Amino acid sequence: MKYTTDYRLENFILNTKWEELPPQVQERMRGCLLDLLGALISGTRSAQFKAGLQLAETVFRQGDVAVIGSGETFDFTGSAAAMGHSSNAYDIDDGHNIIRAHPGTSFIGGLMAAGYEKDTSADDFLTALYVSYEATIRMGEAIMDYYQYAHSSGTFGSVGVVTGAGRIYGLTKEELNNALSVAEFNAPLVPGIRSVEYPSMNKDGVPFGVMVGALALMAGKCGFTGNKNLLEAEDYAHYLDDLGENHEVMALYFKPYPCCRWAHPAIDACLWLLNEYGIGAEEIEKVTVETFYKATQLSKGIPASSDEAQYNIAYPVAAAIVNKGFSIQQAEQTADVRVHRMMEKLSFVCDQEMDSQFPAKRLCRVRMALKDGRTVVSPEFEPSGEAKENVGYDRLAAKFRRITGSLLSEEEQESIIGMLRGDDWTVRSLVDRINSFLLN
């Protein structure tokens, strides 16, 4: 395959200007950052974050780069690694249907670490965030084509970290090209479908994608060289043709529930039936979930950990029926026998018509057989928060309040929400403010 280095991607990364981005893209970037901060803050309570901190202490060097949710400081790679463990801990971050992955969480740990070290301004950091999304999504499409296998977020995130952090660190286009080559070549090839069948902290491979991206950046500074990346290949260079014109960030979805996106339409369909017909959980005899094939492959066993609860379809659906919703707290509290009993009443079948529309659409219909002999059927549901809903800052602020309510006071939440609406902040002042709330 022929590769051509024309620096189209590198010039886009280095030369994009905040003031030239459309207003809707600027608002989307503020919303994305707020949403990712909600994931990072929520993730500080997780076992995965504790493991990430211990890893940073064991493997990486001390430094002056802060970590959200910790009083410890590390070098760039250590801080990136720690936050790479918290950002996807509850699977509550944004996603992109076509690459079947979560681009924002895949690189935010590295960008926050670099931005803190350089004390990057609001405009510069939001621009770095934007170019990271655009490069990561396009590289994700190329990698999916190249390997013909559904890899996941960590695979693409190594490139996202190099993209945004490379811009923040002021790399030349040649240095950036080299780092992108190293990151893409050495990216973890995360087997996404295994993570849904056998869930664990492995999940989407986000921590390891962040670490590979951070190490690729540092390796380049130490003289390590690569040669070409997949978006320079003749078969995949077309993914760069619409850079700066088609804003992939506007195709993101945003998640209301801390579990795999594939379970979301089933949750919404069940909640709709409960509300529409005034059904209580105790009235239900059987629930049949008709959906696309990949969703039926999600784990259905009683979870022994939060990670097993998130990458599951039976548990979050049953928990939503019992509790009229599914929250981070419910993802952590997996021993509720009422939920376990409801799981026994659930069955999942593949609908061929719905399956034919995956991955562009994730569809579901639910049939509930009630103890009084009635059977009620929901309409087809897509997950809430899809790109076509054009989710704005206010809606993401409401989500931020909901998922961080147990960790931040209302005043603290409003301080962060208000801060990101404006431009009078730097990454260091933002992280230090968050930590002053979390640690004091």
Side-chain angles (χ1 to χ4, degrees):
M1 190 185 306
K2 182 180 179 181
Y3 288 72
T4 302
T5 301
D6 58 12
Y7 298 110
R8 278 197 297 165
L9 179 58
E10 293 78 8
N11 286 329
F12 167 78
I13 292 168
L14 298 176
N15 298 332
T16 296
K17 294 179 173 57
W18 176 252
E19 61 272 15
E20 295 177 0
L21 294 176
Q24 69 270 24
V25 173
Q26 292 182 348
E27 182 188 11
R28 173 55 54 91
M29 286 302 92
R30 294 184 195 279
C32 282
L33 180 54
L34 181 64
D35 198 54
L36 290 169
L37 287 175
L40 283 162
I41 291 167
S42 299
T44 62
R45 78 181 82 182
S46 68
Q48 187 170 148
F49 179 58
K50 292 180 177 66
L53 275 178
Q54 187 170 344
L55 178 68
E57 293 166 0
T58 304
V59 175
F60 298 104
R61 295 184 304 171
Q62 298 297 308
D64 60 1
V65 183
V67 173
I68 288 176
S70 173
E72 297 186 68
T73 57
F74 303 96
D75 64 358
F76 160 68
T77 51
S79 176
M83 288 189 282
H85 281 74
S86 58
S87 67
N88 188 232
Y90 290 111
D91 204 21
I92 195 70
D93 37 79
D94 62 56
H96 189 278
N97 282 341
I98 302 305
I99 63 170
R100 308 181 214 175
H102 307 287
T105 188
S106 75
F107 54 69
I108 190 60
L111 267 63
M112 293 300 295
Y116 191 94
E117 184 172 16
K118 301 297 288 186
D119 200 21
T120 306
S121 69
D123 287 3
D124 286 346
F125 188 76
L126 291 168
T127 308
L129 190 67
Y130 165 74
V131 296
S132 288
Y133 273 109
E134 298 298 312
T136 300
I137 293 167
R138 287 168 171 81
M139 185 64 81
E141 292 179 300
I143 287 174
M144 295 279 272
D145 281 356
Y146 181 74
Y147 289 101
Q148 291 295 299
Y149 187 84
H151 293 97
S152 199
S153 310
T155 307
F156 319 137
S158 58
V159 170
V161 170
V162 165
T163 296
R167 177 186 166 107
I168 289 168
Y169 282 130
L171 269 58
T172 65
K173 66 181 182 181
E174 294 83 6
E175 292 169 335
L176 186 55
N177 178 266
N178 182 70
L180 287 168
S181 167
V182 175
E184 181 263 309
F185 189 91
N186 293 285
L189 298 181
V190 181
I193 195 62
R194 274 175 54 196
S195 68
V196 303
E197 292 177 337
Y198 300 97
S200 68
M201 285 187 188
N202 277 329
K203 286 198 301 201
D204 277 353
V206 168
F208 289 86
V210 170
M211 287 188 283
V212 168
L215 290 172
L217 201 62
M218 294 298 103
K221 290 188 173 186
C222 295
F224 190 92
T225 58
N227 191 7
K228 305 295 184 290
N229 69 74
L230 207 52
L231 287 173
E232 295 176 310
E234 59 184 352
D235 288 357
Y236 308 112
H238 66 275
Y239 287 116
L240 301 179
D241 290 347
D242 60 358
L243 276 172
E245 297 175 2
N246 172 38
H247 306 286
E248 288 287 354
V249 294
M250 302 309 296
L252 296 172
Y253 65 73
F254 297 92
K255 301 175 72 175
Y257 309 121
C259 59
C260 180
R261 185 67 167 174
W262 299 350
H264 284 218
I267 293 173
D268 286 336
C270 287
L271 293 177
W272 183 88
L273 285 171
L274 299 184
N275 181 65
E276 181 72 10
Y277 294 97
I279 299 167
E282 69 283 355
E283 300 175 61
I284 297 171
E285 184 72 35
K286 182 180 178 182
V287 178
T288 303
V289 177
E290 302 167 356
T291 188
F292 55 98
Y293 175 73
K294 293 291 188 185
T296 69
Q297 297 305 107
L298 282 164
S299 173
K300 303 173 191 68
I302 293 174
S305 68
S306 174
D307 297 292
E308 291 184 11
Q310 296 164 46
Y311 270 38
N312 193 308
I313 191 166
Y315 179 81
V317 170
I321 292 171
V322 170
N323 297 292
K324 303 297 191 294
F326 187 64
S327 67
I328 289 174
Q329 288 78 9
Q330 287 149 11
E332 286 283 8
Q333 298 163 4
T334 60
D336 190 335
V337 295
R338 299 174 304 156
V339 176
H340 299 170
R341 292 194 201 102
M342 183 59 65
M343 291 173 69
E344 296 174 357
K345 300 179 180 182
L346 306 180
S347 61
F348 301 87
V349 297
C350 174
D351 181 285
Q352 293 299 327
E353 176 60 26
M354 293 179 186
D355 192 55
S356 70
Q357 298 180 67
F358 178 82
K361 291 184 177 181
R362 287 118 159 105
L363 297 172
C364 177
R365 182 190 306 108
V366 168
R367 299 178 186 273
M368 279 187 183
L370 306 181
K371 292 179 180 178
D372 64 7
R374 289 181 297 156
T375 296
V376 294
V377 184
S378 78
E380 285 188 3
F381 270 80
E382 283 190 83
S384 176
E386 287 291 286
K388 63 185 179 183
E389 297 176 35
N390 195 25
V391 176
Y393 191 86
D394 288 343
R395 184 167 165 185
L396 291 171
K399 174 187 170 182
F400 180 85
R401 295 182 186 101
R402 177 168 51 83
I403 69 173
T404 64
S406 64
L407 295 170
L408 300 172
S409 70
E410 290 185 14
E411 182 180 356
E412 291 166 346
Q413 289 176 323
E414 296 311 312
S415 174
I416 296 167
I417 292 167
M419 192 175 192
L420 293 187
R421 285 189 190 275
D423 300 316
D424 189 22
W425 54 271
T426 66
V427 176
R428 193 171 297 174
S429 68
L430 175 62
V431 172
D432 287 349
R433 180 177 295 190
I434 293 170
N435 277 345
S436 73
F437 299 151
L438 292 175
L439 304 176
N440 295 327

